[in-house]
Each structure stands twice: as C-alpha cells, then as structure tokens.
Amino acid sequence: MSQLIKLNDNVAHIAENQWAVVQLPPSLVEARKQAGKVVLFKLTGEKTVSEEQLSGTIIPESGKVIVPLSVFIARKAQLQARINAGEIGVWVDTHEVLNDLAEHQADLNQLPIIAIHVERFADGRIFSLGLLLRTRYGFKNELRAIGDVLRDQLFFLKRSGFDSYLIRADRNAQEAMLSLKDFSAPYQGAVDEPRPAFLRYNRVA
Amino acid sequence: MYKYDEIDQRLVDERVAQYRDQTRRYLAGELSEEEFRPLRLQNGLYIQRHAPMLRIAVPYGMLSSKQLHKLADIAQKYDRSYGHFSTRQNLQLNWPKLEEIPDILAELATVEMHAIQTSGNCIRNITTDQFAGVAPDEVVDPRAIAEVMRQWSTFHPEFALLPRKFKIAVSGTKDDRAVVQMHDIGMEFYLDSQNKVAIKVWVGGGLGRTPILGSVIREHLEWQHALTYCEAIVRVYNLHGRRDNSYKARIKILVKALGIDEFRSQVEAEWAHLKDAPNTITESELARVAKHFEAMPYATLPAHDASFDAAIASNPAFANWAKRSLHAHKTAGYRAVTLSLKPHGKAPGDASSEQMHVVADLAEQYSFGELRVSHEQNLILADVKLSDLFAVWEKARANGLATPNIGLLTDIICCPGGDFCSLANAKSIPIAEAIQMQFDNLDYLHDIGDIELNISGCMNACGHHHIGHIGILGVDKDGSEWYQVSIGGSQGNHASIGSVIGPSFSAEEMPSVVQKLIDVYIKERTPEELFIDTARRLGVAPFKAYVYAKDEVTA
Ligand code: HEM
Ligand code: SF4
C-alpha cells in the first residue's frame, strides 16, 4: 500500500506516489550541516555539499523527480526543459536556507512540488520551513514532508502548511491519517487557519 | 482566575484522548522508546530512578480550591499521598504508573487542568510573580497576558519541537519576583510615557550548566504585539538554534554566538512580516481574559484590626509567624499569606494530600477559593482579612504549614536530586534537611535574617543554585557525591550569579560549612546589612579563608 497521505480540501486520503526522490551520493568528507552552524554558513556562504556530490548525483532521464536543492541550483540549466514541463520538484533539507531556492527560482509556483526532508522526526525546523514557504514565499502547490515522518507530527505539519506526508516505510499510513484530526479547535493562528481562536469564535468571559 | 470555556475544555479533552492513544501504541510496541520519549515529555512524564514522574501544569502558579482538592485526591489514588511543588510553580508526582497517566489526565481535565508542555523541547508553563494582582508595588497585572500567551503557546504547531526547552516568565512589578532575566524570554510589563501598557523584553537568560543573565532585545513593545514578537524570536531560534549538542541548544547559546545585536536584527527582520498579523492581541480578547482576573469582591476595611493587633501583642509565636509570612496587599485590611512547605527536616516543597486538602479549605474559607504556588516552593493565600489571620495560623500550624521561616535560611529552594532524579550527581533533599536541623532555632534564624539558600543536585540547576545567596551544587568526584558552594548569587532586579568559594565538600561537612559562612557574616556585618550585602561588599575571600581554615582550627 502507498505510504503517501494527501490532503485535498482538508480531507485526507491515501494517494499513489508519483514522485521519485533523487538522493545525493554519500559525501567523503563529513557534512557540516548541523543547526547553529547554519548561522555561520549564512554569514560565510560556505557550502554543505561538495562539487563531486553535485556532479555525481544521478537524475533519472524521465518521469517526475524531486531533486535536492543543491543539485537543483547547480544543474538548473540542464533541467530547465523538464522544469518547464512540470516534471521537476525540489527537496530541501532542514538545515538549508530557503532564500537560496528563491534566488535561483524566482517563481516557486513553477514547481509542482516542494518537499522538506526531515532526518529525525524531532527536528522541528520543518515546521518553520513549511510556514515560510507558504506565507513568505507564496508557494501554492504541493508541499510534502519526507524522511522520518511519523503520525504524531502530522497535526503540526498540517497546521504549518504541508498537504502531503510520506509516512516512514515501516509505519501504517492508514492509521497515521487519524492524527490529522487530533484537535478540532486549536488556539493560535497558523498556516491552515491564520485566525486565532479569539478571532474565529465569539468567546465570552 | 481564568475559567475554561468550551474551547479550552474541548482542547484538554481531546488531549486526554490523544495521549491515551499514544500510551496505548507505546505499550503495544507500535512506538519505539525513542519515539515515545518526546511525546511523553511534552506531557510532563519523565522516567526517573524509581518510577515515572508526572509534572502537572499550574499556569502562572494559580490554583482554585477545587483544583487543589482534586490534586490531593489524585496524589492519594495514584501516588503515595503527596506531591512536590516545583520552582516553576508546577506540581510533581513522584510515583505514578505509566499506564495510569491517561486516567490521571482525564481526572485533571474535569477541573480544567492538564500536563501539557510541562516538559520537553517546547514552550513550557509561563511563570510569574506569586503576588500578581495583589502586590502594592505592582504596575501592571501580567496574568491576563500570561493566559493569552499560555493559549497561544499550547500546541503551537511551529514550535512543537524546538532545539531545547523554552521558558517564558512575565512580571509587572517594580521589584522583579519572577526572575525574568533568567528565562529564555523575560517580559517586564510597565506603563510607558503615554501611560499605555508596554513590555521590556529580555532574551537568552537561563541557568543550567551555562548560567547567563538575559539581554534586553527590546525596551518598548506594545502589549498587542506580545505574541507576534515572541513568534519572531522563537522562529529565529527554531531555525538556527543548535540541535547537535543538547548542552548547547538553549537560546542563550545562540544569542551569545550571534551577539545580541545580530540576534536582534534577525528577530526584527522576521517581526517586520509578523507585526499586525492575525495573532496580534485584540482589545476585546484582552478584556475577555482580564475579566477573569478582576479584583476580588473585597470588603471595605480599616487599615488596622484590633483583634489582629491584640493577638500579635499577646502571642509571640503568632507574632513570629506574622513577621515572616505576611505580605503587604493593595487593599486595606488584607494581607497575602505564605504557607511554608519548608518545615525543618522535610523535603522542601512537598505537601501531603492531607495538607493539600487543608490549604484548599483555608483558601475556600478565607481567600476567595484561590491560591498560588511560589517559585520558592511555598503556597500562598493572596487575599486574607487581618481579622482572619489568627484562625488561618492556628489551622496552618496544626497541619505543619506555619513554620515561621519564610525568606530565612531554612526556606530552602531544593530540586528533587539524587533521591528521585536520574541525572543527579548527588542527593539534595538530605542536605536541605541536615541544614534545616543545624539551624533549628527560630531566634537565631530571625537574627540571621533574610537569606536565600538554593540547592541543585547537578549542573542542570533545577534548584536555582546560581542565584542563591548561598548556592549548593551536587558534583560527582570519582563516583561519590560532593558539594560545591557558591555565595553572592541573587534574583530580582539586581540578579547576579554566585561565585564558587573553593573545592567541594562531603555531605557530612555541609551543615558546618553553611554554619561557617553564617559565622563570618554575623561577625562582619554592619547593622543594616543582610547576608547578600556583606557577601557583595567583602567578596569571597574572608568566607573562603574561614571555611577552609577548618583543619588548622580543629587540629
Ligand atoms: C526529577 C526530574 C527532573 C529532571 C530529569 C530535570 C531535568 C532538568 C534538566 C536536564 C535541566 C537543564 C536544562 C537545560 O539547561 O537546558 C533542568 C533545568 C531546570 N529544572 Fe529540572 N528536572 C527535574 C525536576 C525539576 C524540578 C522538580 C524542578 C523544580 C523544583 C525543576 C526546575 C528546573 C529549573 C528551574 C531549571 C532551570 C531552568 C533554566 O536553565 O533556565 N526541575 N531540569
Ligand atoms: S538539578 Fe539535576 S539533580 Fe536536581 S532535579 Fe535537576 S536534573 Fe535532577
């Protein structure tokens, strides 16, 4: 069965996965990609991915593929025809910087899908990244969570603007879907509902 | 105090169901240990030495009689008939069963309580001054905005999994009693030149292994923007705080790494997008919540009460208690009362179910059915008439709640330490008890005067040892338990971090070490000086010289 949950008009269902995720080849030098250091990367412009990895990434010749942000940036010219054809999506790791994507792809909505990859489920950067893509960068197409995606984070992912969730292979996606409905009237405004409870309801003292 | 409407109630009810299912999946093996960990932590459940420990939220320290009765019943039914009030104004149960937590939560939900975000890497319970709303030096009652912030932070989707825990404190008094400079975010409310409520915002304070006082990130923030401004701060932290090393993951480390100016400019850049967004607090929402914190229906009373004055004059024990335990009140004829959870020789902050029932009854009868928990781990009746104080004292005394040591040496702040906590280097409760027994003489305690002694069983600093006038820290040396002593720390507007006096001591030495520190103070003090003043004036040297001269003196 498919591990993909998609949200259409706020209704969740299991969907077939049409997108293949392209991985970077493993690096020979240890990646310096920890949070905190990102602050430094931003200031110094230091790269987290090597040239060999970029050129060594194997992108399938055809079909819908989601490529790593760094590969997308480095090899955009080569992919342009397929981008125009709507066959290319981009995935972003939680330590990466969204501005890098926006700088190289002025119209994000030319991409049918953006995925955020979370290495460990407890890495909450994914929520801020989703929110920023939706609210700051105006991304309207499919926003997918990939990687260590588990049931108990789904409600938060949904509120942060994700509408597609690729549940980790060893878990039951059908059951996981239930957690999208954990809370019916959350307090704070977020991406899925910008108004906080005090604007949505007539709350009397 | 705040009362739930349908929306609040639905949320805690849905939380019970959610957590029940998470517990079921864990017990059925569908969630690994590692996956369940953040889920249970965000529900205040630690797995400790003997058993799980459950931390129940007491938002900004306020409780109703009904809630305290319920807590007493829960402690009796699911635990060993006592609970521990913590330095973050919450209640902890030391012996609940993991399988029974969902049932405990269901019971809590019936009295508008929960354990949401009392632990874990998320925004924790917001703390404030235990005298909020009644203190004469209060400029702004911070509780309504604290409640608005509680709601905003509850299950905040973007901040569900931060790099590390995140603590916010608010205060609205001239004399800070909420230790705002020691929090990830501290908010000091004041009236600006237009006489409007404004907030001075501090960021990046914290204790733990790297104690740092917060820096001011904004001198003036209009109250409407409290949520969006915090959102900007926490977002910058969430994206850039370190996640590779949990000891370096607090916001204080990020603020220090970037420098407050760079950090501020990132926050301001973020806030430029958020200012005036829908999460901006409206006048009507503030008014709705503030209604719950309106002044109590006080009687009009004279400033003095003859029966109270007579009791003070004729009963020295009552007078002693009154001197330490009563606090000035905004309203004539009323006092706030601290009930001591620090009887000599007992674990600081512990209260039995029976005591909780007694305090709940006292609150019901004499203090409009409400009470507060202080970060010094005592209980407070905020609104008692002068004429009722004697009756309150008699009943409190009969139940071990009237030790007249508030603010004195034996009013020790102490973490659970090695008796309960698996992170501990050393036990802390027995040290507190031994010191209390060493100084079990009230006249002497009164002579020593105001002093704060804080004990933590390890550098995580749950017992606030850095900001104790005397701070004691459990350390591990080759597998045995030792204690490092510092002096000169303090909370409040002139918060400071204590200086270590020298090599650490064994548990047996501790009462006499404290005795020696006090001896130096008594010998050196000027008539108007408290311990902290003498310690600040003289520095560590004379204390150190006397304490470590031990061997020659006894030889
Ligand atoms: C028994 C189980 C407990 C465990 C395992 C525990 C764990 C910790 C840890 C790991 C820290 C350091 C976090 C950091 O610096 O990032 C910490 C800090 C703290 N804990 Fe606890 N704690 C426990 C109980 C308590 C209790 C009972 C209290 C209150 C009496 C408390 C209040 C605090 C406070 C005030 C801090 C300092 C906060 C700061 O650094 O700003 N903890 N705790
Ligand atoms: S200070 Fe250390 S020993 Fe004490 S409760 Fe905190 S973690 Fe445990």
Side-chain angles (χ1 to χ4, degrees), chain B residues 27-66:
Chain B
L27 293 172
E30 294 171 28
L31 278 171
S32 70
E33 202 69 51
E34 193 211 343
E35 289 159 10
F36 185 52
R37 209 178 101 89
L39 303 181
R40 65 170 166 74
L41 282 177
Q42 303 230 341
N43 197 47
L45 190 67
Y46 283 86
I47 304 290
Q48 284 307 315
R49 293 229 154 159
H50 311 287
M53 180 202 85
L54 179 67
R55 186 179 292 158
I56 296 167
V58 183
Y60 34 90
M62 294 208 61
L63 281 171
S64 68
S65 291
K66 188 174 162 197

Side-chain angles (χ1 to χ4, degrees), chain B residues 60 86-90 123-129 149 165-171 176-188 200-208 210-217 233-234 237 250-253 255 260 263 375 461-462 464 467 491-492 495 497:
Chain B
Y60 34 90
S86 83
T87 48
R88 302 207 70 257
Q89 303 180 296
N90 291 317
I123 301 177
R124 306 282 192 89
N125 184 23
I126 295 168
T127 51
T128 190
D129 174 18
M149 293 184 69
K165 62 181 171 179
F166 203 90
K167 300 178 177 181
I168 302 178
V170 298
S171 118
D176 169 39
R177 282 181 292 267
V179 219
V180 293
Q181 295 181 51
M182 282 295 174
H183 285 77
D184 298 283
I185 293 180
M187 297 189 134
E188 185 187 323
K200 177 170 175 176
V201 187
W202 308 74
V203 70
L207 299 171
T210 322
I212 303 179
L213 296 174
S215 311
V216 177
I217 182 164
I233 294 176
V234 187
Y237 168 58
R250 294 287 291 272
I251 193 174
K252 61 191 172 188
I253 305 291
V255 173
I260 182 66
F263 183 77
H375 80 265
C462 301
H464 293 184
I467 53 169
Q491 53 171 325
I497 289 166

Side-chain angles (χ1 to χ4, degrees), chain B residues 91-111:
Chain B
L91 179 77
Q92 291 186 179
L93 298 177
N94 286 323
W95 312 90
K97 293 198 186 63
L98 189 140
E99 314 80 67
E100 291 183 343
I101 305 295
D103 297 331
I104 298 179
L105 297 184
E107 295 220 24
L108 288 172
T110 65
V111 292

Side-chain angles (χ1 to χ4, degrees), chain B residues 293-422:
Chain B
F293 300 100
E294 275 174 2
M296 294 295 181
Y298 296 116
T300 311
L301 297 172
H304 290 277
D305 179 84
S307 70
F308 173 75
D309 293 342
I312 292 283
S314 64
N315 189 326
F318 177 60
N320 260 341
W321 176 79
K323 195 158 104 194
R324 298 310 314 183
S325 313
L326 303 186
H327 314 273
H329 198 288
K330 272 179 184 170
T331 312
Y334 284 86
R335 291 289 182 276
V337 178
T338 301
L339 299 171
S340 174
L341 295 182
K342 315 285 180 69
H344 296 174
K346 291 254 176 62
D350 277 7
S352 67
S353 288
E354 209 178 318
Q355 286 177 317
M356 289 188 232
H357 283 305
V358 168
V359 175
D361 287 339
L362 282 172
E364 188 71 56
Q365 202 175 350
Y366 300 111
S367 196
F368 300 101
E370 293 185 7
L371 62 135
R372 289 114 186 264
V373 184
S374 71
H375 80 265
E376 289 93 351
Q377 305 179 278
N378 292 309
L379 295 177
I380 279 104
L381 303 175
D383 304 281
V384 184
K385 283 181 191 163
L386 281 174
S387 55
D388 289 335
L389 286 168
F390 192 78
V392 168
W393 173 66
E394 282 192 305
K395 186 147 178 207
R397 190 161 82 137
N399 290 281
L401 295 161
T403 314
N405 62 348
I406 302 306
L408 298 178
L409 184 60
T410 55
D411 186 6
I412 296 171
I413 294 182
C414 180
C415 80
D419 293 298
F420 296 102
C421 173
S422 43

Side-chain angles (χ1 to χ4, degrees), chain A residues 4-139:
Chain A
L4 182 67
I5 301 174
K6 280 175 87 165
L7 210 55
N8 278 338
D9 286 334
N10 223 12
V11 179
H13 59 97
I14 302 289
E16 205 195 318
N17 185 4
Q18 302 180 332
W19 291 92
V21 174
V22 173
Q23 303 287 353
L24 287 162
S27 162
L28 297 177
V29 279
E30 206 206 323
R32 295 216 309 136
K33 64 177 181 188
Q34 293 299 351
K37 297 203 176 126
V38 171
V39 178
L40 288 179
F41 294 152
K42 263 212 306 204
L43 298 176
T44 62
E46 188 184 336
K47 291 273 172 293
T48 58
V49 180
S50 67
E51 291 301 328
E52 299 76 60
Q53 283 178 294
L54 292 175
S55 54
T57 300
I58 299 162
I59 304 174
E61 292 293 324
S62 64
K64 296 181 167 186
V65 291
I66 309 179
V67 301
L69 172 61
S70 50
V71 173
F72 178 81
I73 292 172
R75 294 165 58 179
K76 194 173 173 208
Q78 174 197 340
L79 294 168
Q80 195 59 52
R82 296 179 66 190
I83 295 174
N84 296 344
E87 281 186 2
I88 302 292
V90 174
W91 66 266
V92 178
D93 229 327
T94 49
H95 69 278
E96 292 179 311
V97 178
L98 292 176
N99 250 351
D100 292 348
L101 172 59
E103 269 172 26
H104 290 87
Q105 175 67 35
D107 178 11
L108 284 190
N109 287 316
Q110 208 185 5
L111 303 171
I113 185 168
I114 296 178
I116 310 282
H117 174 256
V118 66
E119 197 171 298
R120 286 182 49 247
F121 71 93
D123 181 351
R125 287 176 289 190
I126 189 171
F127 307 125
S128 290
L129 293 172
L131 175 140
L132 287 171
L133 274 173
R134 290 297 194 205
T135 60
R136 193 74 37 88
Y137 296 94
F139 181 63

Side-chain angles (χ1 to χ4, degrees), chain A residues 7 10 131 134-135 154-162 165 180 183-184 186 188-195 200, chain B residues 157:
Chain A
L7 210 55
N10 223 12
L131 175 140
R134 290 297 194 205
T135 60
L154 290 189
F155 182 77
F156 300 130
L157 286 168
K158 170 177 142 220
R159 296 223 65 208
S160 301
F162 289 84
Y165 324 88
L180 284 165
F183 299 99
S184 53
Q188 59 295 101
V191 179
D192 61 340
E193 168 52 89
R195 294 169 307 157
R200 277 180 287 138

